[in-house]
Amino acid sequence: MHPPTNDPTAGATSLRVLLRRETSQAHTQLDAQIAQLDLREPGPRAVYSRLLYRATLRVGRACQWRAAEATPLMARMIEALGPDFPADNPPQQDAPLEADAAAYVMLGSQMGLTLLRQGLAPAQRTGALALAPDTAAWGAFVGRIGRCAPGTEAAERLVADSCRVFGIFHDEALALVTPAAERIP
C-alpha cells in the first residue's frame, strides 16, 4: 500500500493519462448537461450546435486561435456553424489558454461527437453533427503529448487550462440547455 499523496501526477504514466484523470470530473459534468438533449430532434440539435459554436468562439479567443493540431478543426467549426448563429457572439473574454489545452478538449470532443453521430440517422446529422471528426489530428496530438512528462510545470498548466476549457463548454451548456424538469411538454 502506498501512502496518500497530494501529488496529482502520482500514478500517472503519461501526460494523456494525467489529463484524462484530472479532467474526468469536468468532462462528466459537461456530458451530463449534453445528455439532456435529445439529438434526434431538430431543436436540441440546434442547441447543441449553438453550444459548440459559442464555446469554440470563447476557446478560440482565449488561445488566440492557436490550438496546436486543433486549429484547422476550430476554423472549420466556426465557418460551418457561424451562418446558423450570426448574432451569437459571446461577450466573455476568458483568460488566455494554452494551445494544447484547447487542442485536447476540441479534438477529444470530436471523438465524442463520433459516438453521438452513431445513434442518429444520416438525415439527423445536421449542424455540428454533420462535421466529420479529424481523427488524424487527434492521433498526431496524442502522439506528441505522449512524449511529454506528466510531472512538469508545463503539464500542470496544461491540466489546469484543460479543466478551464471544459468549464467554458459547461458554462455554455448551462446557459443554453433547459433542464428536462423545466421544459414545457
Side-chain angles (χ1 to χ4, degrees), residues 55-137:
T56 301
L57 279 175
R58 289 179 58 191
V59 171
R61 289 178 188 143
C63 72
Q64 298 180 341
W65 298 100
R66 290 190 300 264
E69 292 87 348
T71 302
L73 166 72
M74 290 174 64
R76 278 195 317 276
M77 286 180 70
I78 294 302
E79 182 179 323
L81 300 175
D84 292 337
F85 311 105
D88 247 1
N89 194 3
Q92 294 90 333
Q93 182 57 47
D94 297 285
L97 289 166
E98 293 287 326
D100 282 343
Y104 175 67
V105 178
M106 297 303 299
L107 292 169
S109 74
Q110 293 300 288
M111 300 304 105
L113 191 62
T114 300
L115 293 174
L116 293 174
R117 287 168 46 102
Q118 288 176 357
L120 299 175
Q124 295 171 321
R125 295 176 185 172
T126 61
L129 294 159
L131 300 172
D134 190 342
T135 56

Side-chain angles (χ1 to χ4, degrees), residues 9-184:
T9 63
T13 56
S14 71
L15 183 53
R16 183 173 176 203
V17 168
L18 178 66
L19 278 165
R20 188 176 327 134
R21 185 181 69 209
E22 295 300 310
T23 62
S24 67
Q25 182 178 358
H27 194 174
T28 299
Q29 288 175 332
L30 177 60
D31 284 350
Q33 284 298 118
I34 292 171
Q36 295 181 68
L37 297 170
D38 182 353
L39 298 176
R40 296 169 297 181
E41 299 296 326
R45 278 197 309 276
V47 169
Y48 181 70
S49 291
R50 185 175 183 206
L51 185 163
L52 288 182
Y53 177 71
R54 289 173 57 95
T56 301
L57 279 175
R58 289 179 58 191
V59 171
R61 289 178 188 143
C63 72
Q64 298 180 341
W65 298 100
R66 290 190 300 264
E69 292 87 348
T71 302
L73 166 72
M74 290 174 64
R76 278 195 317 276
M77 286 180 70
I78 294 302
E79 182 179 323
L81 300 175
D84 292 337
F85 311 105
D88 247 1
N89 194 3
Q92 294 90 333
Q93 182 57 47
D94 297 285
L97 289 166
E98 293 287 326
D100 282 343
Y104 175 67
V105 178
M106 297 303 299
L107 292 169
S109 74
Q110 293 300 288
M111 300 304 105
L113 191 62
T114 300
L115 293 174
L116 293 174
R117 287 168 46 102
Q118 288 176 357
L120 299 175
Q124 295 171 321
R125 295 176 185 172
T126 61
L129 294 159
L131 300 172
D134 190 342
T135 56
W138 173 251
F141 174 77
V142 168
R144 183 172 57 77
I145 67 161
R147 296 185 295 274
C148 300
T152 65
E153 187 176 313
E156 289 175 22
R157 206 169 37 253
L158 174 57
V159 167
D161 278 4
S162 295
C163 287
R164 287 185 38 234
V165 174
F166 274 111
I168 289 169
F169 276 84
H170 189 251
D171 289 349
E172 293 300 331
L174 287 174
L176 297 170
V177 177
T178 303
E182 296 175 17
R183 286 189 209 123
I184 299 171

